[in-house]
Amino acid sequence: MTDVAGHLLIFTLCGVVLFVIPLVIGRWIRPARPSAAKDDIYECGEPTIGSSFIQFDLRFYVVALLFIVFDVELVFFFPWAQVFGSAIHLADTSISADAANHLTSTLFPEIHSPATSDQHSAISTTSLHPRAALALGWMSFVDVIIFFAVLLVGFAYLWKRGDLDWVRADELKSIANPSHR
C-alpha cells in the first residue's frame, strides 16, 4: 500500500470512529421514555396548523439566493484591493528601496525568488518597479471594472424582471381590483 493510500485510510477510519463514538455514547446514556408529547410534531416551538406540505412563496428563496450571490461576489473585491493598493504604492517612485523590494516580492514573486536574489538582479529590477506596477494597477483596475459591470448587468436584469420587488406590480393590481383574479 502506498504512503498516500495508508494516510487516506487512517484519516477515513479516524473520521468514521469520531463520528460513531458520540452516537454510541448517546445511545447508552440517554433515557428511553417515549410519550405522546415527545412523539408529537414539533416545529419551532409553535403548534402545527394544517398540513406541513404547503408551498412557500418562491420570493423567500430568490431573495436568499440573491443575497448569497452578491455577498460572495463582494468577497472577490478584497484580494483585488490588496493587489491594486500594493501596485499603486509600488508605482510611486518616492518609496524606499526596502519597501519597493517588499512590495515587489509580494506582487512579482518570480522576480524576487531565492535564485535571483543576488545584487545584480535586485538592481536591474528596481527600474522595472514603477512601470510594471503601474501596468499591473491599470490591468487590475480594468479587470474590476469589467467584473463590476457584469454584476451591475445581472442586478439590472433582476430589477427589471421584478425579482427585487417584494410585492410585484401584477399582484398589486389583483389586490387593488379583486375581480381580475
Side-chain angles (χ1 to χ4, degrees), residues 26-153:
R27 179 80 171 174
W28 288 339
I29 294 175
R30 73 173 173 255
R33 295 187 209 121
S35 67
K38 288 183 181 178
D39 291 338
D40 201 17
I41 297 173
Y42 179 79
E43 190 171 322
C44 301
E46 296 290 324
T48 56
I49 300 171
S51 173
S52 62
F53 296 104
I54 60 171
Q55 185 173 1
F56 283 98
D57 195 352
L58 191 60
R59 286 178 289 204
F60 291 110
Y61 301 112
V62 171
V63 169
L65 285 174
L66 289 176
F67 173 75
I68 290 171
V69 166
F70 285 110
D71 194 43
V72 167
E73 297 297 330
L74 190 65
V75 169
F76 291 117
F77 282 110
F78 291 106
W80 169 82
Q82 177 66 34
V83 169
F84 182 72
S86 297
I88 295 303
H89 188 62
L90 184 60
D92 185 12
T93 56
S94 64
I95 63 172
S96 69
D98 289 337
N101 285 333
H102 174 69
L103 288 172
T104 302
S105 66
T106 58
L107 287 174
F108 306 107
E110 65 277 355
I111 292 175
H112 272 268
S113 65
T116 62
S117 64
D118 59 349
Q119 184 67 19
H120 182 264
S121 70
I123 292 171
S124 65
T125 58
T126 304
S127 62
L128 178 75
H129 291 203
R131 285 182 293 139
L134 197 58
L136 180 66
W138 276 108
M139 184 179 67
S140 66
F141 183 72
V142 169
D143 285 345
V144 86
I145 292 297
I146 291 170
F147 179 75
F148 196 65
V150 169
L151 283 180
L152 284 179
V153 166

